[in-house]
Amino acid sequence: MTAACLMSTYQPLALSFTRGLGTRLWDQDGREYLDAVAGVAVTNVGHSHPRLVAAISEQAGLLLHTSNLYSIDWQQRLARKLTELSGLERVFFNNSGAEANETALKLARLHGWHRGVEAPLVVVMDNAFHGRTLGTLSASDGPAVRLGFNRLPGDFIKVPFGDLAALESVQRLHADRIVAVLVEPIQGESGVQLAPPGYLKALSRLCSRRGWLLMLDEIQTGIGRTGQWFAFQHEGIVPDVMTLAKGLGNGVPIGACLARGKAAGLFTPGSHGSTFGGNPLACRAGCTVLEIIEEQGLVDNARRQGEQLLNRLRAELADNPNVLAIRGQGLMIGIELKQPVRDLALCAARDHGLLINVTRGKIIRLLPPLTLDGREVEMIVRGVARSLAQG
Ligand SMILES: *Cc1c(COP(=O)(O)O)cnc(C)c1O
């Protein structure tokens, strides 16, 4: 088959898989690969987890969809579980990350409206990525995603990620217009960029002092990825708003926007909605994913194996002159190179049976399933080291 009938938004590698189980994928020729991408931080409990397969299959035979004209039991269960795990209070369900962020941005507007702010501004970060809808694209940074899409909705101000002083200075300029700050705890698409320790805590303090909503985009960092259920839990804070998607359904599309305090009560009947959002299939998948993570201790496993992987990569790549930095938290790890290596992801797959992602041309991003074991840590280290040595 050729891809001639598809719009050319993607440049897929010449690889295609027909089957997956746990941390492994198999291609059409039956060749096995270790998956250190996990569908971009989506298949956190691994491929074809038997318990998830059984739950989805059963639900498909019972009921897929009824719409939000009726109450949906699985939606309420998933909302309760997410609020218990996060300390936030209420949930709105979407179908994707971008939609969850749109929901958060609408909450910010309503928050401003209630405070009598006529032209509300949301603070966002340099190099942020929040999605591809017009609204979330406006909140994102960089020509790679924005070029050609003028004019984008405005009402955002951008500051450098991790720089509290810069935020203090825009605050002085726009004190009465700012209503919220939207930030990724770790910037994923821009190459696993970490903020200095204490940044989120200071941000949280500033937001509560000013009455701004602290809105965390945990679409990539959430659901156990960084070694906590949510990355903000490393910092001992609770945001006003949080968005989730990727790992929540393990491949069944689902997004969620959570809120607490004033932000939890901003929507009223009719002010927001979604046809598919929170349908029985997606919410049952979400419930099952959370159960699996809990019962298999995958949050702790992500922390332990993540530390091991980070240490082993640092040891093994210490002498590689092309490696600029190795950083990460839990099983979200970036290896920044000085020079791009041509066809790196393809070579790793073809020659070493290892799937890795390369973002911004020269940052290897590792996002393996949270079920990773010690032997697989070594397989990743070996595959990455050998692929880099080849390049
Ligand atoms: C992937 C991602 C999004 C967008 O999610 P979609 O489901 O592709 O719309 C938004 N924010 C972050 C941090 C992401 O990683």
Side-chain angles (χ1 to χ4, degrees), residues 56 59-67 72 276 278-282:
I56 295 170
Q59 193 57 43
L62 285 170
L63 191 62
L64 285 180
H65 179 84
T66 54
S67 91
I72 298 170
F276 293 137
N279 85 11
L281 181 78

Side-chain angles (χ1 to χ4, degrees), residues 96-99 101 129-132 184 189 217 219-220 245-246:
S96 68
E99 275 182 272
N101 282 337
F129 180 78
H130 297 295
R132 305 285 196 152
E184 300 158 82
E189 300 305 303
D217 178 343
I219 289 166
Q220 193 161 147
K246 294 198 162 89

